[in-house]
Amino acid sequence: MTARLIDGNALARSIRDEITSRVQGLRASGVQPALAVILVGDDPASQVYVRHKVADCESVGMRSILERQPTSLSEAALLARIHALNTDPGVHGILVQLPLPAHIDAGKVIAALSPAKDVDGFHVQSAGALMLGQPGFRPCTPYGCMRMLQSVGVDPRGRHAVVVGRSNIVGKPMAMMLLQAHATVTVCHSATADLGAFTRTADILVAAVGRRNTITAAMVKPGAAVIDVGMNRDDAGKLCGDVDFAGVREVAGWITPVPGGVGPMTRAMLLANTLDAAQAAQARSAG
Ligand code: NAP
């Protein structure tokens, strides 16, 4: 079997098109959705991510406010900036690019965000809402993975989903979303004994580890839907995921490529969350 591709670029494009027309509607009623992005320091990868986020906002007609701060910025000064943005009615979403310099406590910074503007979905209130099945912002990467499954008609209900990785931003929220969609969910991590024994029983397999070739063809159930979140470099310096794509595509039913899979969907879901934040703010001010 050769797996069918879940094309993250194409799906993200169609989501962005839909967002563009919803943004036009909001702007016609006097509200331009706005995302504030705070970048502290000069980490090269973070600079690229932030540039993409700003360009994405502009491409759908949203406003972006990019705040570049020096590495020497104090924690207190960053918290003060967040408080100011929390109360600024012209700002609907706030994103603090991680990682932060070592002298700043990222947990404290995320806790300072207004949950109403937490478009990354990292605040404890957003995490709690997901856990309880209540409305709230969903972390963009797992949210994008769910949309990818939905787009090709893979319904998690009654299926065994295996998530490899248990980070707070990908693995854990991914597991909660699959559970909410009625999958039976197993979460694997670095202390899992015999990873393959679990992955081979997965109808839906999500790899979010950060190590290439973690998932090989022998670890995949024939016909499974395989979502590759990983972002790694191969020996030639080319971007690759956690999944041995060439081998696994011969076994799986569906597979996401890297690049062109989860990455563009993560970016699209940030726009979706920002739009939702702006619409919710408009509804609050109207009511
Ligand atoms: P992370 O915080 O480093 O978490 C990695 C997880 O993998 C941990 O839970 C770890 O287990 C687990 N793990 C490590 N080695 C393992 C092994 N041999 N077997 C099973 N599990 C193992 O990373 P993350 O932030 O979740 O990101 C994961 C990957 O996704 C990275 O490559 C990252 O760059 C990528 N990513 C991509 C996007 C995107 O938009 N495409 C977005 C976010 C992240 P322990 O908990 O036991 O340490």
Side-chain angles (χ1 to χ4, degrees):
M1 169 188 276
T2 301
R4 283 170 287 179
L5 273 192
I6 310 180
D7 183 342
N9 279 325
L11 183 58
R13 216 176 297 123
S14 77
I15 290 171
R16 279 202 311 270
D17 287 347
E18 190 197 313
I19 289 173
T20 302
S21 66
R22 285 175 59 200
V23 168
Q24 275 165 2
L26 260 184
R27 288 180 69 168
S29 66
V31 176
Q32 183 177 22
L35 173 68
V37 179
I38 305 179
L39 173 63
V40 184
D42 48 16
D43 175 65
S46 293
Q47 295 197 35
V48 173
Y49 295 144
V50 158
R51 260 204 312 274
H52 283 156
K53 287 165 188 174
V54 167
D56 286 346
C57 283
E58 280 156 16
S59 76
V60 297
M62 291 183 185
R63 187 164 78 96
S64 63
I65 303 122
L66 173 57
E67 288 205 13
R68 289 176 185 277
Q69 299 284 359
T71 311
S72 59
L73 184 77
S74 70
E75 185 181 279
L78 178 55
L79 292 173
R81 276 311 299 143
I82 289 172
H83 290 308
L85 291 166
N86 279 347
T87 52
D88 182 340
V91 171
H92 304 105
I94 307 170
L95 182 151
V96 181
Q97 185 65 44
L98 300 177
L100 287 167
H103 66 276
I104 299 178
D105 178 347
K108 218 164 155 182
V109 170
I110 292 167
L113 293 170
S114 161
K117 300 188 180 186
D118 174 38
V119 288
D120 251 342
F122 295 167
H123 192 282
V124 69
Q125 186 166 315
S126 303
L130 172 60
M131 175 89 181
L132 299 180
Q134 292 174 0
F137 294 113
R138 302 310 191 220
C140 301
T141 300
Y143 191 13
C145 294
M146 293 302 288
R147 289 290 292 265
M148 291 179 105
L149 290 171
Q150 189 189 28
S151 75
V152 294
V154 174
D155 182 358
R157 177 182 286 271
R159 303 296 192 87
H160 184 206
V162 173
V163 180
V164 188
R166 58 173 166 180
S167 70
N168 290 336
I169 62 169
V170 188
K172 280 184 207 162
M174 184 78 247
M176 291 311 307
M177 286 182 211
L178 287 161
L179 187 61
Q180 204 169 11
H182 310 293
T184 302
V185 181
T186 300
V187 182
C188 299
H189 45 77
S190 66
T192 299
D194 197 357
L195 180 62
F198 294 97
T199 59
R200 271 189 291 277
T201 65
D203 303 303
I204 297 168
L205 176 57
V206 182
V209 173
R211 202 190 60 176
R212 69 191 162 110
N213 293 331
T214 298
I215 305 296
T216 60
M219 297 167 77
V220 174
K221 180 177 175 176
V226 178
I227 307 284
D228 191 353
V229 179
M231 279 199 314
N232 312 295
R233 296 276 166 190
D234 67 13
D235 290 335
K238 257 184 65 191
L239 197 61
C240 67
D242 292 342
V243 173
D244 168 24
F245 184 82
V248 170
R249 77 176 306 179
E250 299 306 322
V251 182
W254 292 100
I255 192 166
T256 66
V258 179
V262 174
M265 286 300 293
T266 298
R267 288 166 58 182
M269 300 328 286
L270 175 64
L271 297 175
N273 279 347
T274 304
L275 176 60
D276 287 347
Q279 281 183 322
Q282 188 193 36
R284 276 195 304 275
S285 69

